Amino acid sequence: MVLDNLSNRSVSALSETEILTLANIYLQDRRYSEALSFYDELCERNPNRFAYQFGRGASAGFLLSGTPSFRSLRYVVQLRSSFEAAVRLQPNSLVARRALLNIYLGLPRLLGGSQTKAEQQLKAIQSINPLEGALAGAIYAMNNNDQSAFA
């Protein structure tokens, strides 16, 4: 009922709360393209909200995983920039920092991947929470085939 009620109205007539509700419903329903469009609207209206940036990054990430490589370039930019913004907005968010660590490790340098930036995220995670830091260190070491890091 909520979806029917909100989706029949113009986006410009919806409040941020209503748009966030729609974005979350679409994200939970795995309708990532629709979710991304609503998170884009939210980020346009208020780019300084962690939930909006994080949701846009998550939607773009899900779309990226199911899209042919050429069409996925726009999602790569949204993925990286949204999680970077989320970390700026909430520097102690472990989930956003882990996502950014994986992004920097997984993307080619041309698209924003960076060992240096990955190491920065790893150090930040370790300073926030030592246990999470150890897990992030294992992810980093596995990505770099560094067996000595497991000691």
Side-chain angles (χ1 to χ4, degrees), residues 37-52:
S37 68
F38 283 109
Y39 283 117
D40 280 341
E41 174 68 25
L42 289 167
C43 288
E44 254 183 56
R45 288 187 185 191
N46 189 349
N48 295 319
R49 292 282 309 270
F50 174 83
Y52 300 173

Side-chain angles (χ1 to χ4, degrees), residues 38-87:
F38 283 109
Y39 283 117
D40 280 341
E41 174 68 25
L42 289 167
C43 288
E44 254 183 56
R45 288 187 185 191
N46 189 349
N48 295 319
R49 292 282 309 270
F50 174 83
Y52 300 173
Q53 294 291 348
F54 191 88
R56 181 168 68 174
S59 299
F62 286 122
L63 282 167
L64 185 60
S65 67
T67 305
S69 61
F70 182 72
R71 288 188 39 201
S72 65
L73 287 179
R74 76 172 228 175
Y75 300 133
V76 169
V77 172
Q78 288 176 305
L79 172 76
R80 193 188 72 245
S81 66
S82 294
F83 280 115
E84 287 172 343
V87 165

Side-chain angles (χ1 to χ4, degrees), residues 14 16 24 27 35 40 46 58 70 84-85 87 94 96 102 105 111 121-123 128 133 143 148 151:
L14 296 173
E16 284 184 28
N24 288 335
L27 188 61
D40 280 341
N46 189 349
F70 182 72
E84 287 172 343
V87 165
L94 289 169
N102 285 311
L105 289 173
L111 297 177
Q121 293 308 310
L122 175 60
K123 289 177 184 174
I128 296 168
N143 187 73
S148 66

